[in-house]
Amino acid sequence: MTERNFEEWLAKFRPSISGYDYYVDFEKVIKSVEEIKVELNILNYLIGSKNIEEDFESIILRYPETMKCIPLLLAVRSNEIYAQDMEGAYLYNFKKMNYDVEQYKVFMRKTGLFDMLANHLVNNLVDYALGIETGLDSNGRKNRGGHQMEDLVENHIRSLFVKNENYFKEMYLKDIELRWNIDLSALSNDGKAAKRFDFVIKTDKMIYGIETNFYGSGGSKLNETARSYKMLSQEADTIDGFTFVWFTDGKGWTSAKGNLRETFEAMEHVYNIDDIENGVMNRIFC
């Protein structure tokens, strides 16, 4: 095998792998608003109201289901909201009222919702809710980002193998051991650790345990990841018929290049996206 140059390898790491659907899941946003669209339109009556407290009371007594919309107007995704001041502490339930109407008026008044509605600071609560949901959904980017590298790797694996036939997703050590009658206790600290691989590939001659990750920004976690994967690789080397493979990328690694270099030099099968795109999977698995 040709000896690889760490600096040249690291230089090919990418700043991002974000796809077009990474930023906002509009399908999810629209679905969430559609579910409360009728109730939001009822609450639209409060916009510009000259007697907003009385109108609010009339609406929630006649249409109590409109209460479930209130948390979203404050960008809260919950049926309960806690609030306190010098006058007391309250845990408001917006699925089923747990205080009288007057206390909910206090909530609307002190959170500023009455002012926003009465002063016509918004024109339509459905449009406003779409904006709020879009903002809340942007918080989900971290979770979506965490799956992007998995998806990228799986797309390439899928071109070579068949899911649940010779490649498997999110598989625990104990399941690998049971399925193929192999002893992986060296990886699990004699069964004390419940290790799970992102993917497992089974060929005629080898079982491959695969981990994937992408780090667009640095942090202390990267040093620990590099160290733990180096150890995992060394433990895997003691097991006949099993190989550990790590696919990683991201400019965040530049902040932890020392530890990554150690792992790179000690581990045979650590690759980046450039390696994947240049057919490394064919060379490893086929």
Side-chain angles (χ1 to χ4, degrees):
M1 183 176 178
T2 305
E3 186 173 342
R4 297 188 295 166
N5 181 287
F6 174 75
E7 292 294 342
E8 291 178 358
W9 182 70
L10 185 64
K12 294 177 181 177
F13 278 32
R14 305 182 181 188
S16 174
I17 52 171
S18 299
Y20 291 101
D21 57 355
Y22 165 73
Y23 300 97
V24 175
D25 184 345
F26 279 110
E27 184 177 341
K28 176 185 171 186
V29 166
I30 293 168
K31 181 181 178 182
S32 296
V33 175
E34 283 291 331
E35 289 175 353
I36 57 171
K37 189 173 183 179
V38 171
E39 291 81 2
L40 287 168
N41 275 312
I42 293 172
L43 290 176
N44 271 335
Y45 181 77
L46 297 174
I47 295 175
S49 170
K50 302 300 182 183
N51 300 292
I52 194 161
E53 297 204 13
E54 291 81 358
D55 289 342
F56 172 76
E57 180 174 347
S58 296
I59 286 175
I60 64 169
L61 290 178
R62 187 172 180 181
Y63 306 104
E65 65 274 16
T66 59
M67 290 294 289
K68 66 184 178 185
C69 302
I70 302 300
L72 182 61
L73 303 184
L74 294 171
V76 174
R77 206 185 295 283
S78 173
N79 290 321
E80 294 183 323
I81 296 181
Y82 178 87
Q84 68 174 48
D85 60 11
M86 296 297 289
E87 295 180 10
Y90 299 89
L91 181 62
Y92 295 88
N93 190 310
F94 291 91
K95 191 172 184 180
K96 185 176 182 180
M97 292 176 62
N98 57 334
Y99 301 116
D100 60 24
V101 175
E102 291 304 315
Q103 190 58 50
Y104 279 91
K105 287 183 185 178
V106 171
F107 177 90
M108 297 291 289
R109 189 185 315 125
K110 290 187 176 181
T111 56
L113 284 174
F114 274 159
D115 282 341
M116 180 186 77
L117 294 166
N119 294 324
H120 217 299
L121 299 182
V122 295
N123 293 318
N124 185 295
L125 288 178
V126 176
D127 293 342
Y128 175 77
L130 278 170
I132 292 290
E133 281 287 358
T134 299
L136 288 173
D137 185 75
S138 69
N139 294 328
R141 289 176 189 168
K142 184 175 181 181
N143 291 331
R144 287 194 290 273
H147 291 292
Q148 286 188 115
M149 187 65 173
E150 281 186 28
D151 293 342
L152 185 153
V153 170
E154 186 171 14
N155 284 336
H156 286 269
I157 292 175
R158 195 184 291 119
S159 69
L160 301 172
F161 301 98
V162 178
K163 189 173 184 180
N164 296 329
E165 185 175 312
N166 46 21
Y167 99 82
F168 305 83
K169 191 170 183 179
E170 296 181 349
M171 201 169 190
Y172 283 94
L173 289 180
K174 58 181 177 63
D175 296 321
I176 300 171
E177 290 179 319
L178 287 171
R179 190 178 187 96
W180 293 296
N181 192 29
I182 185 172
D183 182 5
L184 300 179
S185 56
L187 304 181
S188 64
N189 191 17
D190 292 324
K192 296 174 185 175
K195 171 66 185 168
R196 185 185 71 177
F197 288 101
D198 291 333
F199 301 100
V200 172
I201 289 175
K202 177 66 171 72
T203 66
D204 292 339
K205 298 179 180 179
M206 187 66 63
I207 299 169
Y208 296 92
I210 300 168
E211 288 287 344
T212 69
N213 42 51
F214 183 94
Y215 295 105
S217 58
S220 58
K221 180 182 178 181
L222 279 73
N223 287 316
E224 177 55 34
T225 298
R227 284 192 295 264
S228 65
Y229 283 3
K230 176 185 175 182
M231 183 180 298
L232 185 59
S233 176
Q234 291 170 335
E235 292 166 343
D237 287 343
T238 69
I239 304 170
D240 290 334
F242 186 87
T243 297
F244 174 52
V245 181
W246 180 24
F247 295 109
T248 193
D249 210 303
K251 286 296 185 180
W253 277 114
T254 57
S255 69
K257 62 184 294 185
N259 281 285
L260 183 61
R261 182 194 295 272
E262 287 183 21
T263 304
F264 177 85
E265 292 174 350
M267 184 176 172
E268 180 181 357
H269 296 293
V270 53
Y271 305 104
N272 60 17
I273 294 171
D274 185 72
D275 295 324
I276 296 172
E277 292 177 347
N278 282 287
V280 74
M281 287 190 184
N282 284 285
R283 297 194 293 275
I284 306 170
F285 305 130
C286 300

